Amino acid sequence: MVATIIDGKAFAAELRDKIAMQVARLKAEQGITPGLAVVLVGEDPASEVYVRSKGKQTVEVGMASFEYRLAAETSEAELLAVVDRLNADPEIHGILVQLPLPAHLDSDLVINRIDPAKDVDGFHISNVGLLGTGQKAMVPCTPLGCLMMLRAHHGSLSGLHAVVVGRSNIVGKPMAQLLLGDSCTVTIAHSRTRNLAEICRSADILVAAVGRPEMITGDWVKPGATVIDVGINRVADGDKTRLVGDVAFDSAAAVAGAITPVPGGVGPMTIACLLANTLTATCRANALPEPAGLTV
Ligand code: NDP
């Protein structure tokens, strides 16, 4: 079998077009411009790249982008004061504090200071609780993007066995919640899981969110399964580096029914879903109907 490639880049472009159209309507009909604030503390090079890319795409869909770059030695009190200011600013509908924060700052404390209605990353404890109880939440962007691609590929996910490898708060756990919400039978695997290969082989949907280059090989994949590779790993390639996922793409693609590539799979959908969440937050803040297809 040769897998269908799930083209995250194309999905993301389509979602951004839909968002841009809705933003233009909001501006014309309501005089409202959705605003996204991104707070970056310190100079982590990977975070710099993400923040730049987020800012560029925010502007491209017609939203207002606000960037707050704070020194690595910023105190917790100073950072919390910035979050408080953004919470109170009516021009800002979404707030994202780029993680990881420098070690002296308590990420949980900072994230939980964000107004849950503006928490476009979906990491605030209120949104985690709302998602876990099947209520209207802000949904974390990476799993939201994965679910959108899975729904588009499969239609209904009901009754399928989904195996999520990884149990982080950012990807693995919310991914499992979303799949459960779509009536999958969900298994969550992690570093202590026994017989991992065997469990993966029983999956109709296999989501890899581990952070280990090409750990999941074709012989772990059930023939015809859908494989979603969340991993982003930089590996040496001669004197250069290249990006690979948590799945060994060629061997898995020879067995799977469908697979997301790295790069060009889950990654582009993550930023598109951040914009989708910002638009959702704007509509909710103004008691306007939410356009279809932006969230779950
Ligand atoms: P974390 O490091 O927070 O979590 C990794 C998870 O993988 C943990 O639950 C860990 O288990 C599990 N794990 C580690 N080693 C193994 C193993 N040998 N076998 C089984 N499970 C294992 O990572 P994240 O969830 O934040 O990210 C996962 C990957 O996704 C990374 O490559 C990251 O770069 C990428 N990512 C990509 C995004 C995108 O937009 N495409 C966005 C966010 C992340 P345990 O809990 O037992 O330690």
Side-chain angles (χ1 to χ4, degrees), residues 135-167:
Q135 300 179 69
K136 200 157 96 173
M138 293 304 299
V139 178
C141 305
T142 299
L144 176 59
C146 295
L147 189 75
M148 285 181 181
M149 291 192 285
L150 281 168
R151 281 183 175 177
H153 183 73
H154 281 271
S156 168
L157 306 182
S158 178
L160 297 178
H161 182 209
V163 173
V164 180
V165 191
R167 56 174 165 180

Side-chain angles (χ1 to χ4, degrees), residues 2-14 142-155 157 160 175 179 204-208 221 224-230 247 249 252-254 256-270:
V2 179
T4 302
I5 307 297
I6 300 178
D7 185 348
K9 236 169 132 175
F11 265 104
E14 204 178 301
T142 299
L144 176 59
C146 295
L147 189 75
M148 285 181 181
M149 291 192 285
L150 281 168
R151 281 183 175 177
H153 183 73
H154 281 271
L157 306 182
L160 297 178
M175 185 75 248
L179 291 164
D204 302 306
I205 294 170
L206 179 58
V207 181
V221 176
T226 300
V227 178
I228 304 289
D229 189 355
V230 180
V247 176
F249 182 82
I259 187 166
T260 58
V262 176
V266 174
M269 277 301 277
T270 296

Side-chain angles (χ1 to χ4, degrees), residues 69-90:
R69 290 168 181 273
L70 308 179
E73 57 277 7
T74 298
S75 72
E76 205 156 79
E78 286 167 324
L79 178 56
L80 291 174
V82 170
V83 172
D84 288 344
R85 259 205 335 270
L86 299 175
N87 281 341
D89 186 337

